């Protein structure tokens, strides 16, 4: 059985976005996995002018559907000013699908920094719920 550090890893997207600009960073999954957590760090300064959307793109290239990794109410993005948000999630990702973040700066004068970290669990990927059930069943018998 693999240790927790062998199966989990962190994927980081970080950068800065210029005035009235949008930055999109992506990573193509190399194997089936599950996104366990999404942490969004918005550094001091933007006063809600930086809009962060962590996402998963499913489907074939050219026909991808973008699915937000963070379910939000009232807004379609995460914003803040000197804030750090941790969002627990359990989103299955298939090999070849794309994880990413889109960051929009609606301030016309300033550049702002951000960081988005995703905790990725490769243990079982899409089959993890079945493996978890079988593991519990083996302990009983």
């Amino acid at each position: 059985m693999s240790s927790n550090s062998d199966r989990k890893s962190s994927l980081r997207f970080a950068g800065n976005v210029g005035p009235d600009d949008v930055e999109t960073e992506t990573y193509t999954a190399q194997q089936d996995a599950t996104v366990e957590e999404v942490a969004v760090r918005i550094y001091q300064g933007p006063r809600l002018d930086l809009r962060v959307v962590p996402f998963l793109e499913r489907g074939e290239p050219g026909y991808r559907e973008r699915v937000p990794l963070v379910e939000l109410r009232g807004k379609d993005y995460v914003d803040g000013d000197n804030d750090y948000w941790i969002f627990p999630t359990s989103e299955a990702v298939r090999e070849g699908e794309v994880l990413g973040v889109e960051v929009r700066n609606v301030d016309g004068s300033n550049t702002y920094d951000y960081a988005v970290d995703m905790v990725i669990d490769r243990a079982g990927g899409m089959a993890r719920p079945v493996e978890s059930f079988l593991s519990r069943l083996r302990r009983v018998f």
Side-chain angles (χ1 to χ4, degrees), residues 36-113:
E36 294 291 323
E37 179 179 284
V38 176
V40 177
R41 173 74 166 109
I42 299 174
Y43 295 92
Q44 188 169 0
R47 290 180 231 118
L48 308 180
D49 286 335
L50 204 60
R51 299 175 177 179
V52 180
V53 180
F55 64 84
L56 166 65
E57 286 185 350
R58 291 201 160 113
E60 300 300 317
Y63 299 98
R64 293 198 184 272
E65 171 192 11
R66 186 175 280 190
V67 178
L69 286 173
V70 176
E71 188 172 325
L72 303 165
R73 299 285 183 239
K75 294 182 181 179
D76 295 332
Y77 52 84
V78 178
D79 60 6
D81 187 20
N82 198 26
D83 288 305
Y84 182 71
W85 308 100
I86 297 175
F87 301 96
T89 186
S90 184
E91 190 68 42
V93 180
R94 293 184 191 274
E95 179 181 346
E97 291 183 331
V98 177
L99 292 167
V101 62
E102 180 180 285
V103 184
R104 179 178 305 275
N105 181 358
V106 297
D107 181 334
S109 304
N110 300 293
T111 298
Y112 299 117
D113 297 324

